Amino acid sequence: MEQSSKRSGLLNGRFIFKKFSDGSLDKRTVICSYCKAEFQYHRSTSSLQYHLRAKHAFASSSCATDNPPTPNESIQPQQSTLAEFQDRYKPMDQTKYNTLTNAIAKWIAMDCRPLNIVNDRGLRDVIQIASSNQLYTLPSEGTIASRIHDLYNNEKTTKLELLKNAQAVALTGDHWTSLSNHSYLGVTAHLIDASWTLQSFALTVMHTAERHAESYVECFLDVVKEWNIQEKVTTISTDSAHNMIAADSCLPFEHMTCIAHSLQQSITVALSDSGFENLLEKCRKLVSHFKHSPINSTELGIQQAAKGQKQEPLVQDISTRWNSTLGMVQHLLCNKTAITATLALQKQKLSVPTGKDFEKLQKLETLLEPCRFVTELLGGELYVSCSVVLPAFCHIFSVMEVSDDDPEYVIQFKNTFTADLIKHKEGTNMRFLKIATALDPRFKHLKCLPKSERDEVWNMLSEVLKEQHSDAETTEPEPPKKKINLPLVADDENERASVCTALDRYRAEPVISMETCPLEWWSKHEGTYESLAYLARKYLATPATAVPCERLFSLSGDIVNKKWAALSPVNVNKLVEPEAQLGWICWR
C-alpha cells in the first residue's frame, strides 16, 4: 500500500496537500482544513495529530471515523484557549463525578445492563467526549453495585411512605423461569394515593426454590409483611396457572383472574376448533421460508421495494406471545403481492396460500382485531382498568354475534369463542367487578349488565357501605356509659337512610364521557361522597389483569431473558425493583 494510502487520506481529510500554481500537488506541504495552517510533511502524521489535539480537540477525538470536511464546507477556526485546554486535562469536580456515577447506576438498573459494562473502554471514551474531560475514569463494579443498592433503598423508602398512607392496596403476582433455570416470583402493588393518582410499582422479584402453591403462599405473605400492608391488601391478580390459583385460595385476599389470559385462552380454543389451524400452519411454514433464509428475505425485500411497499420482515406467531397470530396474519395480508411475486421466481415446494386462503385470513383478522384492542386496553396500569372489564366483555360478545353473512368457519369460531369466554367470565370475581363498574362514573348506568341484575349491584354496594360503617364504629373508642342506653334501632335506621341517600345522590349524578378520567371526577366529589370515595379507592385501584407483573419479566422479551441469565438471583431483585419503580414498567 502506498504509505498506508497517504496515512488514511491525511487523517480522513483533516489535512490536504498544498497545490502549486499549476495545479499539481506539493507532497511535502500539507494544510489544516480547519485553520489553514501549513506544515511540512515527511511521511509521518505525528505532528499533524499533535496539532489536532492542541488546536482542534473536537476533531482529534474521532479523526479515524468522522466524515472528512467537504471542500465547499465553511470551516471556522476553533482554536482552544489555554483555559479550555486546562479544563480538559484537570480532574473532574467531585460533585459532577458523583452525578455521573449515579446516572450510570440508574441506567444500568433501568436497562438491566450487566455491572461489568463499566469496564468498557468505549463507554469511557463516550463520557470523556461528552464531559470534555480526558482524565475521566469509570467507577468500579463495586461502586455501581453500591449505588444501585442506595437507589433501591431510596426508592423503597418512597414506596413505603406511599403504602403507609394508602387506604387499600391491590397486588399482582406472576412466576417466571430464567434461561439459567432460576425461578422467580414477581409482585407489584397498585393503589390510589391522596391526590387520586393511580400508583403502580414493583414490590419484589424474589428467587424461589419451589413452584408449589404452599411455597407461593409463604412468599406472598412474606412480601406483604415486609412492606407492612397486611391490613391493606384487598385483591391479588394472577394468571390461571394451577399453582397460582391454589395459592390464592389459601391467601386472605380476594382473588382476581387475569382477564387477558382468559381472553387469549378462548382465542386458542376457538382457533383450534374452527378449522383455522391448518391454514395457520401453512402460514407459519411460509413465514419460516423467508425468516430462516437471508437470500429469501433479501428477494422479498426487493419485491416489496419494487411494489412501493415498506421493506419489513414477516412476523412469526408464538404461542406464548399474545396477539402474535394477528401480527403474522396482518403482515402476510399486507405483503401478499410481494410474497406471491417472490415465490414465483423461486424453485420451492411450499404449500402456498391460495386466494381463498387469503380471504379466510382477512376474516380471521377481523375476528382477532377486537380481541387485541381489549387485551391492550385491560393490560394498562396507568389508568383504571378493573371497571372496564364488564363493558369490555359486553363489547366482545357483541362483536362475536353471528350474522347471516358469516361463512361456516366464522360461525364456528364465534360460537366456540363465546362459549369458552362465558365459562371464564363465570369463574371471575363478578361481585367485585360489578361494584367496581358501579363506582366508575363512566359506567355507573350499568348498561353492560342485563336490567334484571342492575338493582342487585346497587343492593350489594349498599351492603358494602353498611359493613364499612359498622367496621368504622368498632374501631372508635367506647362511648361513655350514660350513652349506652340510647335506642340502637333508631341508629340503624339513620345509618340505612344515610347510605341510601348517598347512593341515590350518586346515582343521580350525570354519567361522564369515556374520555374523562374517573379519578379526576372522584377528586372533585370526594367531599360530597366520602364513604363512596373510600370504596372507589379500593375497587378502582385493582388492575384487570396480571400484565403489570408480567412486564417485569417480558418487557424486552428474549433480550431481557438473555441478560437475566447472566445475573445471580441475589442481584435480580435490587436491579429490577428500582428500575421498575422508576418507570420501566412499564414495557412503553
Side-chain angles (χ1 to χ4, degrees):
M1 302 296 290
E2 185 179 335
Q3 298 180 18
S4 297
S5 298
K6 290 297 180 181
R7 300 302 182 215
S8 298
L10 295 183
L11 303 182
N12 282 352
R14 268 63 184 178
F15 295 87
I16 58 175
F17 287 110
K18 184 178 179 179
K19 290 184 178 181
F20 290 116
S21 57
D22 60 359
S24 60
L25 297 180
D26 181 0
K27 297 299 183 69
R28 293 175 176 266
T29 307
V30 296
I31 301 174
C32 176
S33 298
Y34 296 98
C35 63
K36 307 304 180 183
E38 295 186 4
F39 299 90
Q40 294 298 311
Y41 177 65
H42 302 286
R43 300 183 182 180
S44 173
T45 60
S46 300
S47 59
L48 306 184
Q49 291 177 353
Y50 177 82
H51 172 74
L52 289 178
R53 287 194 299 269
K55 301 296 184 180
H56 314 292
F58 68 93
S60 66
S61 60
S62 57
C63 64
T65 58
D66 284 355
N67 294 326
T70 61
N72 297 328
E73 185 179 4
S74 177
I75 303 175
Q76 299 296 329
Q78 299 188 22
Q79 180 172 340
S80 303
T81 65
L82 179 60
E84 291 173 339
F85 184 81
Q86 290 174 340
D87 285 341
R88 289 198 300 270
Y89 291 95
K90 74 176 183 179
M92 182 177 290
D93 175 75
Q94 190 63 36
T95 302
K96 185 176 181 180
Y97 186 84
N98 287 334
T99 301
L100 273 173
T101 301
N102 290 335
I104 293 172
K106 188 175 179 180
W107 165 59
I108 289 176
M110 291 189 70
D111 289 340
C112 209
R113 303 296 178 184
L115 294 179
N116 61 9
I117 199 171
V118 295
N119 298 325
D120 289 2
R121 289 181 298 174
L123 177 61
R124 180 203 63 192
D125 294 343
V126 168
I127 297 180
Q128 284 181 349
I129 295 172
S131 63
S132 299
N133 191 302
Q134 304 301 312
L135 297 182
Y136 174 82
T137 57
L138 286 165
S140 65
E141 292 183 40
T143 299
I144 293 298
S146 176
R147 296 296 175 93
I148 289 177
H149 294 168
D150 293 341
L151 178 63
Y152 166 80
N153 292 329
N154 292 338
E155 288 295 324
K156 186 172 183 178
T157 300
T158 302
K159 303 314 175 188
L160 278 170
E161 189 65 21
L162 273 174
L163 293 170
K164 178 182 177 181
N165 298 327
Q167 294 178 352
V169 179
L171 303 179
T172 69
D174 190 31
H175 57 75
W176 175 79
T177 303
S178 70
L179 290 179
S180 53
N181 208 29
H182 291 133
S183 295
Y184 296 94
L185 175 68
V187 182
T188 63
H190 308 266
L191 59 94
I192 298 174
D193 62 19
S195 61
W196 287 93
T197 301
L198 186 59
Q199 303 281 353
S200 301
F201 48 88
L203 293 183
T204 189
V205 177
M206 62 193 306
H207 179 249
T208 57
E210 302 288 341
R211 294 185 62 173
H212 301 302
E214 296 80 4
S215 174
Y216 286 145
V217 170
E218 183 178 349
C219 291
F220 279 124
L221 293 177
D222 288 344
V223 172
V224 169
K225 183 177 180 181
E226 177 187 356
W227 292 86
N228 196 25
I229 51 177
Q230 300 94 315
E231 305 300 325
K232 297 185 177 183
V233 175
T234 57
T235 61
I236 180 167
S237 303
T238 67
D239 60 20
S240 55
H242 294 300
N243 49 2
M244 278 295 184
I245 294 177
D248 291 338
S249 65
C250 300
L251 291 170
F253 320 124
E254 289 198 64
H255 177 240
M256 300 297 293
T257 303
C258 177
I259 304 302
H261 275 89
S262 300
L263 196 58
Q264 297 304 314
Q265 288 174 350
S266 297
I267 291 173
T268 302
V269 171
L271 286 175
S272 61
D273 192 57
S274 57
F276 279 107
E277 269 304 320
N278 291 335
L279 175 58
L280 290 176
E281 186 60 33
K282 184 187 295 186
C283 293
R284 294 183 187 109
K285 292 180 180 179
L286 179 60
V287 173
S288 297
H289 173 75
F290 291 102
K291 288 189 71 69
H292 297 163
S293 170
I295 296 177
N296 294 339
S297 179
T298 301
E299 292 177 354
L300 176 61
I302 293 173
Q303 292 298 326
Q304 288 172 331
K307 299 181 182 303
Q309 296 178 341
K310 180 182 178 181
Q311 290 182 277
E312 58 180 359
L314 301 180
V315 173
Q316 184 69 277
D317 72 331
I318 302 173
S319 59
T320 57
R321 185 166 296 170
W322 298 344
N323 301 319
S324 62
T325 299
L326 175 61
M328 178 180 71
V329 170
Q330 289 176 331
H331 277 73
L332 287 173
L333 291 172
C334 181
N335 294 279
K336 173 184 174 182
T337 55
I339 292 172
T340 304
T342 304
L343 293 177
L345 300 175
Q346 295 179 341
K347 293 182 179 180
Q348 39 76 27
K349 298 181 180 179
L350 281 174
S351 178
V352 182
T354 63
K356 289 185 177 181
D357 287 338
F358 278 108
E359 290 179 7
K360 202 171 182 179
L361 289 177
Q362 190 74 54
K363 295 284 187 181
L364 181 58
E365 180 189 19
T366 304
L367 292 169
L368 295 181
E369 181 59 33
C371 300
R372 179 204 60 79
F373 170 76
V374 171
T375 301
E376 294 181 356
L377 175 66
L378 299 181
E381 58 190 297
L382 300 179
Y383 51 83
V384 174
S385 60
C386 187
S387 59
V388 187
V389 172
L390 296 183
F393 273 138
C394 186
H395 170 70
I396 284 292
F397 289 139
S398 175
V399 170
M400 293 297 170
E401 289 181 357
V402 176
S403 66
D404 296 336
D405 298 332
D406 289 337
E408 182 62 32
Y409 58 87
V410 171
I411 295 175
Q412 184 66 26
F413 180 95
K414 289 182 175 181
N415 289 338
T416 304
F417 175 88
T418 301
D420 191 77
L421 189 59
I422 288 176
K423 292 180 182 178
H424 287 292
K425 179 183 177 182
E426 293 172 349
T428 61
N429 192 337
M430 286 296 294
R431 183 176 184 274
F432 195 97
L433 293 176
K434 288 178 179 179
I435 295 177
T437 306
L439 289 170
D440 190 327
R442 297 172 298 177
F443 307 114
K444 66 187 183 69
H445 48 50
L446 301 179
K447 290 184 178 180
C448 57
L449 296 175
K451 291 182 179 180
S452 58
E453 298 181 14
R454 296 174 189 175
D455 287 339
E456 178 189 353
V457 175
W458 295 111
N459 292 334
M460 286 191 298
L461 186 52
S462 177
E463 292 300 322
V464 172
L465 276 173
K466 292 175 185 177
E467 292 174 6
Q468 177 182 314
H469 287 163
S470 300
D471 293 341
E473 289 177 358
T474 56
T475 58
E476 293 179 357
E478 185 177 349
K481 289 185 177 179
K482 62 180 181 179
K483 293 186 179 180
I484 291 180
N485 295 325
L486 291 176
L488 298 179
V489 175
D491 288 345
D492 290 340
E493 291 178 353
N494 292 335
E495 176 187 328
R496 193 177 303 111
S498 174
V499 168
C500 292
T501 301
L503 276 179
D504 289 340
R505 285 191 289 113
Y506 170 68
R507 292 179 66 177
E509 292 278 359
V511 175
I512 63 176
S513 67
M514 292 294 297
E515 292 75 22
T516 305
C517 175
L519 300 185
E520 290 182 6
W521 188 94
W522 277 110
S523 68
K524 297 175 182 178
H525 295 79
E526 180 177 12
T528 307
Y529 306 104
E530 187 174 347
S531 298
L532 282 171
Y534 178 87
L535 293 179
R537 277 197 171 94
K538 171 184 175 180
Y539 284 86
L540 299 184
T542 298
T545 68
V547 172
C549 194
E550 293 193 0
R551 288 197 180 103
L552 290 174
F553 305 123
S554 61
L555 176 60
S556 297
D558 296 336
I559 298 177
V560 171
N561 202 331
K562 291 174 182 177
K563 290 178 184 175
W564 282 31
L567 299 176
S568 69
V570 178
N571 288 332
V572 166
N573 192 33
K574 290 190 176 182
L575 274 172
V576 172
E577 287 185 37
E579 79 59 39
Q581 294 165 359
L582 287 169
W584 181 42
I585 340 187
C586 337
W587 241 297
R588 316 275 204 228

